[in-house]
Amino acid sequence: MSLQFERVDVLIIGAGLAAVTVALHLPRTLNVLLVSKHEVTSANSDLAQGGIASSYLEPSSVDHERDTLVASKLAAVPDRVYTLVEEGRTAIQELERFGVVFDRDATGYAVGREGAHGMNRIFHVGGDETGRHVMATLRRQLPDNVTVMEHVLIDALTKSDGHVSGATGFNGETRLHVQAGAVVLATGGIGGLIDWTSNCRSVTGDGLVLAGAVGARLTNLSRIQFHPTLLAVDSPHLVTEALRGAGATLVDMSGNHVMGQHSLGSLAPRDEVARVLTNHVGPVYLDTSRVERLDERFPKLVATCDAHGIDIQRIPVRPGLHFHMGGVDVDAYGRTTVAGLYAVGEVADTGVHGMNRLASNSLLECWVFGKRVAAAMAVEEKPFTVNETTAFEVSTDLFGRYRQQIGEWLTISPQLGKIVSFLENTQQLPRTKHVTRQLSEQTLSLEAARLLARAMMRTEDGYEQDRFARTADGIST
């Protein structure tokens, strides 16, 4: 097998807003390599519809801070939330300096409202295609010291003297070794592990596996958010929460308000709406009859509904996997517990989301903490030593069956028995030294799913944990 070798100062794994933000703010004197598993646009940031939350137009960040903490079920870390919302007050101006043009109306910025926000503070670009427009603009601003490589799968990090020294993987089908003075994980979340999700299919928890394998601490992995409104058709499409902020309501077949008993109605926190809709008997629709200028404000949604023959006034919806609040444990500057390794964006557990992420805080998190990672970056070249790489020897058909199993338990109401079955079935999978890109990609997905499954097991009662421990010796936690 042919081998490609690269030596850089900083390796950034990922191509979404978190990755690009770091790259934009690193010193131009550093040689930076940014790699994407598929095309650079295959990132959840490009799919973001809702926008970017910021208290830029408010007297202070106090209300945004309160809304974030309340939505988190008071499980977020207060000082990290303060950092997010206070530094996020300048994010709109900063993005504008990079060329981002936010939507405006006759009164100024056309800010919207989403679930659990006490006021309108969501900034949009191009209506419900904020992510696509923001990412296209920022990627054009990447400086010459940043090299972007697409179709690169990173399957392992290398470590020397307790310090991360680079990574191995595949560039296409060619084996790739990258020596780096620092590595940034910006690989996104876990949603691509299953089919019914708002996430890109390629976002499969790789960063969790990479970090865990070199000893980085992983925290709160069982904290998973389900979005209430994915289009209820054969293939999932996110229906932005901004639609409810603009006046749409969740109704049943008879037109009754499904969230009528909640004080915030259809704009209740995501986790609460998603659970009500999951338990609801019968179909649920978004009634958009009160939404003004719908075609202008939500062009992507209108086009999607037209393509599926759906009445835009009555949109069928159902919950789906959306966001991972847990991840790689980091400090306030994205530093992990392993020297030379940083994490930012959804792969990181920054502490700002707690049990439930407040709508449109994700892009803000990428920007605020991406800048902090860049500011704290320390580059230290270490010897590059590669360990033997192996992968699960799993056929495509068998992997497909395991993926189906993951979809059965990675739900808003996980069933313990199905989690146990998956872990037991995948515990003794054979490994091979004849590693291909496909085997590596499948292995990362299965190992990420096993991390999540074990985290969910730890939330169950002690008896069940003990019962599982007796049947799964050797599984690390």
Side-chain angles (χ1 to χ4, degrees):
M1 180 182 293
S2 58
L3 174 66
Q4 177 182 355
F5 180 79
E6 302 284 344
R7 176 179 288 146
V8 297
D9 295 314
V10 181
L11 170 64
I12 302 175
I13 307 172
L17 182 58
V20 170
T21 301
V22 175
L24 285 170
H25 290 89
L26 285 171
R28 301 293 177 91
T29 55
L30 295 177
N31 179 16
V32 180
L33 176 61
L34 185 152
V35 299
S36 175
K37 190 194 289 191
H38 297 293
E39 295 81 11
V40 290
T41 54
S42 296
N44 282 342
S45 296
D46 290 78
L47 298 180
Q49 297 179 24
I52 301 174
S54 172
S55 56
Y56 173 43
L57 302 179
E58 299 165 42
S60 74
S61 62
V62 170
D63 290 336
H64 190 186
E65 180 181 17
R66 182 198 62 238
D67 291 347
T68 300
L69 287 168
V70 170
S72 80
K73 310 306 179 193
L74 302 182
V77 180
D79 62 331
R80 300 287 181 87
V81 172
Y82 178 78
T83 295
L84 174 73
V85 299
E86 184 62 23
E87 296 185 13
R89 284 173 58 78
T90 61
I92 303 305
Q93 293 170 295
E94 292 162 356
L95 286 162
E96 287 177 327
R97 286 196 286 270
F98 278 100
V100 175
V101 180
F102 289 96
D103 295 346
R104 292 175 179 264
D105 56 25
T107 63
Y109 290 102
V111 290
R113 184 181 173 192
E114 295 180 5
H117 284 274
M119 62 188 67
N120 290 24
R121 64 165 65 94
I122 315 301
F123 292 76
H124 299 268
V125 184
D128 59 355
E129 292 192 278
T130 298
R132 182 172 70 86
H133 291 292
V134 169
M135 294 312 303
T137 299
L138 295 183
R139 288 185 183 119
R140 288 194 296 268
Q141 298 295 325
L142 286 170
D144 292 340
N145 66 306
V146 178
T147 299
V148 177
M149 290 174 57
E150 297 182 307
H151 303 287
V152 170
L153 172 72
I154 298 299
D155 60 11
L157 301 178
T158 60
K159 193 175 176 183
S160 179
D161 300 326
H163 193 287
V164 168
S165 59
T168 64
F170 289 88
N171 181 9
E173 298 298 329
T174 300
R175 195 67 182 152
L176 174 67
H177 290 174
V178 182
Q179 182 176 1
V183 175
V184 179
L185 295 174
T187 51
I190 59 166
L193 289 171
I194 67 173
D195 292 334
W196 200 258
T197 176
S198 62
N199 288 228
C200 289
R201 180 73 178 255
S202 59
V203 181
T204 52
D206 296 2
L208 304 178
V209 180
L210 298 174
V214 293
R217 184 165 59 237
L218 308 178
T219 48
N220 300 315
L221 296 189
S222 62
R223 293 181 176 179
I224 300 169
Q225 182 183 77
F226 287 78
H227 199 288
T229 56
L230 271 62
L231 198 63
V233 293
D234 290 341
S235 58
H237 301 270
L238 181 66
V239 180
T240 173
E241 198 160 1
L243 189 64
R244 281 174 278 144
T249 54
L250 292 159
V251 300
D252 61 18
M253 289 186 67
S254 301
N256 299 311
H257 189 186
V258 175
M259 295 299 300
Q261 300 303 311
H262 197 287
S263 60
L264 294 175
S266 291
L267 281 175
R270 282 180 179 170
D271 60 330
E272 297 177 38
V273 182
R275 194 162 294 280
V276 169
L277 266 59
T278 298
N279 296 330
H280 181 78
V281 178
V284 175
Y285 303 89
L286 272 168
D287 178 348
T288 66
S289 58
R290 294 191 299 166
V291 178
E292 299 178 355
R293 298 182 292 110
L294 195 148
D295 289 12
E296 176 187 340
R297 298 164 69 185
F298 303 98
K300 183 176 182 180
L301 174 63
V302 171
T304 302
C305 287
D306 284 348
H308 287 85
I310 292 172
D311 179 3
I312 194 65
Q313 297 291 311
R314 190 177 172 85
I315 304 171
V317 293
R318 55 168 286 193
L321 197 157
H322 187 56
F323 192 85
H324 194 203
M325 280 78 71
V328 183
D329 187 35
V330 295
D331 68 8
Y333 288 89
R335 292 175 288 227
T336 73
T337 54
V338 176
L341 181 63
Y342 302 77
V344 64
E346 193 172 348
V347 70
D349 183 2
T350 58
V352 298
H353 304 306
M355 298 292 293
N356 176 62
R357 174 172 69 79
L358 181 65
S360 288
N361 269 357
S362 57
L363 293 183
L364 187 69
E365 177 193 17
C366 291
W367 185 257
V368 168
F369 287 93
K371 288 171 53 188
R372 285 179 150 249
V373 167
M377 182 66 64
V379 175
E380 184 177 351
E381 185 173 322
K382 291 289 185 178
F384 184 73
T385 304
V386 178
N387 295 324
E388 183 179 70
T389 302
T390 64
F392 290 140
E393 195 168 18
V394 176
S395 68
T396 303
D397 287 345
L398 182 57
F399 175 73
R401 292 198 292 274
Y402 284 141
R403 183 181 166 84
Q404 184 176 1
Q405 283 187 24
I406 296 168
E408 292 173 355
W409 58 260
L410 189 49
T411 66
I412 195 169
S413 299
Q415 295 183 30
L416 182 64
K418 291 184 176 181
I419 297 175
V420 171
S421 177
F422 170 77
L423 285 167
E424 291 177 343
N425 290 342
T426 56
Q427 181 184 350
Q428 301 297 334
L429 286 176
R431 301 190 77 102
T432 178
K433 298 178 183 178
H434 302 290
V435 179
T436 65
R437 180 187 175 112
Q438 179 177 338
L439 289 180
S440 281
E441 196 158 352
Q442 292 177 173
T443 299
L444 286 167
S445 292
L446 290 175
E447 289 184 332
R450 285 173 56 79
L451 285 171
L452 295 173
R454 293 198 296 270
M456 289 182 177
M457 290 293 300
R458 290 195 294 273
T459 67
E460 302 297 329
D461 63 78
Y463 171 77
E464 292 294 349
Q465 290 184 58
D466 292 343
R467 186 189 73 80
F468 177 71
R470 291 193 295 271
T471 64
D473 291 338
I475 295 180
S476 64
T477 60

